[in-house]
Amino acid sequence: MALVENVSNLQKSQDLLEAEGGKKTMMKKMMRQIQEEPLDSLSSSVRRQAMEILTQLSHTQPTLGVRERLELVNTCVQSVFSLPSVQAMQEKDEAKAETIQTLYHQTLEALQTLLKALFAEDPTPAGLKSILEPLGPWMNSGKAHERARAVNSNVSVLNHVLLTLPFFVPLGFPALGLLLGRLILRVGDPDEEIGREALDGIVTLYTILDLQKRAKDKEETNKKELYESNKRFLGPYNSVSPCQNILRVIAEFGDFLGPQQVKDLLLAALEGLKGSSEASGKDSGETMQLASEVTLSWVLEWYRHRVLEVIPEIMQGIYLQLSHIQEPRAREVALLPVSLLASSFMTEVVVALLMCPLPLDSNGADMWRQLILRKPSCDVRDLLDLLLGSLKEKPVTKKGRASIVPLAAASGLCELLSVNSCMGRVRRIYPQLLLALLIQVHYHIGLSLPGCMAPLKDAQKDTQPSAFVPVRWVVKVVKTLLLRMGCSYEATFLEEQGGWELMEQAESHHRGVALLARAMVHYSCQELCRILYLLIPLLERGDEKHKITATAFFVELLQMEQVRRIPEEYSLGRMAEGLSHRDPIMKVLSIRGLGILARRTEKTAKVQALLPSIVKGLKNVDGMLVVEAVHNLKAVFKGWDRKLMDSTVYVEMLQILLLLFSDSREDVRSSCINLYGKVVQKLRAPRTQAVEEQLISTLVPLLLTMQEGNAKVSQKCVKTLFRCSCFMAWELPKRAYSRKPWDNQPQTVAKICKYLLENLRHDPEASVCIYAAQAQDHLLASCWRNSWLLHGDSGVCDPATTHHWSPSCENLPTSHQRRSWIMQALGSWKMSLKQ
């Protein structure tokens, strides 16, 4: 109390105020004292006195800024409105019931006087908004006494504005929509007294706007007479059906509502749904919901044509409010504007929904489904066409910025797929949707969107939400589309084969897509013909990712009988062109396509004629892709007349595979060694010099690789070595095929060396003799030191990383070039041991 008395003396003099620290310092002291008052009782006049002092301080300089005024109003309103109802406080302290009643009314009057004084300090639309804005949440409170205080204070300020009317706004009242919307909802309040007072406030607001309009036209008007006239015009309060009052008000305020005001009016109606969920009693909540529903419906019925430019803001407002509305019926009402607006402005609504935060939570998902679940629903066909158009966009703009539009469209589509009624329309464009989504999977590989996290509902308790991976989300939509279109076998097949994981990786995306297409062919998907004819023009469109995905799918469809109807230029011709493509994946896909076409009798010869080009195209291609391509060549080799075949093709293929014996990936090494042996099996006599040199140059690499200690690779080496020996009629020692380590078998090593090197040590070519002797010495020395390769010390390099099988022989004399393969093999062996 001492502080209050002290300040009440200080306010008499501006000089004293400045000496004490100024107006703002005094206001902060008063605010602190108000905040210290209990919120569950009213036992002293401290609140009232502090607000009276604040009212006096408002007449002094300097004027408060908007933020400071907001803070002050919030503090005072919070302290007064949070008090229990007067009845509850009286029941708690019956002896002071009359005192509490008087003190409460004095305190509320002091608050309203302060609000009027603050408006007088800044008598502008912005000043009025800063005073009324903090009252908004209390007008939608679930407690009747809090709503009553807020409405009463609101009307009190409006009456003061009407009496003073200090401003004129030529472009409209900026806070009109929110203020009108909050008052309209209270007209439909379960408490009749609140409804009557809210309607009085609306009459006052209408009169203020009417006076503004007349002032613009320079008309002389009596305020009191105009107020009474407007009160009769808007009609008396209808206690039986207050919704009739709401309809009348919405209709008559049309002259004052622009796009922003209509938007604010809708958002205010949504705010009311939050209060209806918190209202005590079922009837009260339903009554408040009804007021919101009537307001939303009729505002859009009357003024829908005015909101086109503010649709994104309305959609954002709905999305934000849904987070605070849990009651099912209230959520239904909140979603009404989505379907109502979409029935007239579907494109604009869809564009706004594409901006919903990703990944979609339940609120965003409900907004998408609302488009077709509730009447009036939008045209599903047009809606799907819009989404398909968005799915054809790239997720990266020309300026290199990430765009969420395609991912958002995929998310929206996923929600629509959950609605059975639109499945017929989805099937109409199923091929386009499927291919667009598969291409989006490729685009989203490695792409991250800033700020995107997995929804909290998907995260475990006490754990951080996992990062949102866009490519996985698009793959999920592909799965959903397949399942909804009845392709459950295909989806299951991909799950079992790891196809979805392949699809999500840059290096294996084409394999995942091909696996899906192969499954659809295997299970005779009814839509394949439509997809086939759609793909033909797509193969030439878009960037590399677009073409790879489309080609990967198209190649598998070449197995279909309908392919016979397609002109050859679109099948065999396209595949042949792909052999010279700069992208290795396109080359491999083309080889896969040719392998499929080669199974058809009428295409076999034409495909086989391309074999030289096929093999040459594999040079300098990644090992995994080479393995994939060679597997696909089986059909091309099958049935080829070996008598007429040029062995050069086989030699080139063997050379490519031999280079990959040193690949760092075990699967690549194992596959290439195995394929090498299978190609050797296809060789037929007579042996050409090129074939002999190629197979002899394989001996050392196979023997060394066999000693790596890798059981899988060693097993393939033994088989391939045996096939080479059979073709070349070698009589290798049996122990040469043993996979046991040589480090403790010096006699075995000596026998192998003698077989391979004895004659070479007496070769007419001196360099060959030297190489042979050195190779044998290194091999035996390594064996005896018990440090052979992987079984020795860590300083010896893995031969898989040190083999170089193709040293140049360009500088040798012409007479010695025929023996260059011997020098190459021995030289490679020497280099591998020279560690």
Side-chain angles (χ1 to χ4, degrees), residues 180 184 187-188 199 202-203 206 228-238 241-257 265 291 294-295 297-299 302-303:
L180 177 61
I184 284 177
V187 170
L199 184 59
I202 289 174
V203 173
Y206 189 86
E228 295 298 330
S229 173
N230 288 334
K231 189 171 185 178
R232 290 190 297 271
F233 176 65
L234 292 176
Y237 177 74
N238 188 335
S241 178
C243 286
Q244 295 300 319
N245 295 111
I246 293 176
L247 297 180
R248 181 66 182 271
V249 169
I250 291 173
E252 300 303 336
F253 264 78
D255 290 343
F256 308 111
L257 300 176
L265 183 52
V294 170
T295 303
S297 301
W298 280 95
V299 166
W302 282 82
Y303 309 118

Side-chain angles (χ1 to χ4, degrees), residues 393-397 401-404 406-407 440 443-444 447 449:
E393 296 182 19
K394 289 185 181 181
V396 179
T397 64
R401 297 177 181 174
S403 168
I404 68 167
L407 186 59
Q440 286 300 333
Y443 281 143
H444 281 84
L447 187 67
L449 300 178

Side-chain angles (χ1 to χ4, degrees), residues 706-718:
M706 201 184 301
Q707 291 298 309
E708 287 182 7
N710 186 308
K712 180 181 178 182
V713 175
S714 296
Q715 184 180 19
K716 302 298 183 185
C717 286
V718 170

Side-chain angles (χ1 to χ4, degrees), residues 302-348:
W302 282 82
Y303 309 118
R304 189 182 314 177
H305 59 285
R306 302 184 186 181
V307 301
L308 180 61
E309 66 187 67
V310 293
I311 284 177
E313 298 170 61
I314 294 174
M315 293 298 112
Q316 182 183 24
I318 294 172
Y319 176 81
L320 294 174
Q321 287 298 326
L322 284 173
S323 300
H324 306 290
I325 304 172
Q326 305 303 325
E327 200 276 321
R329 175 57 185 158
R331 286 182 70 86
E332 285 184 17
V333 175
L335 289 164
L336 272 177
V338 178
S339 51
L340 289 171
L341 288 172
S343 63
S344 299
F345 309 111
M346 184 175 63
T347 300
E348 289 74 15

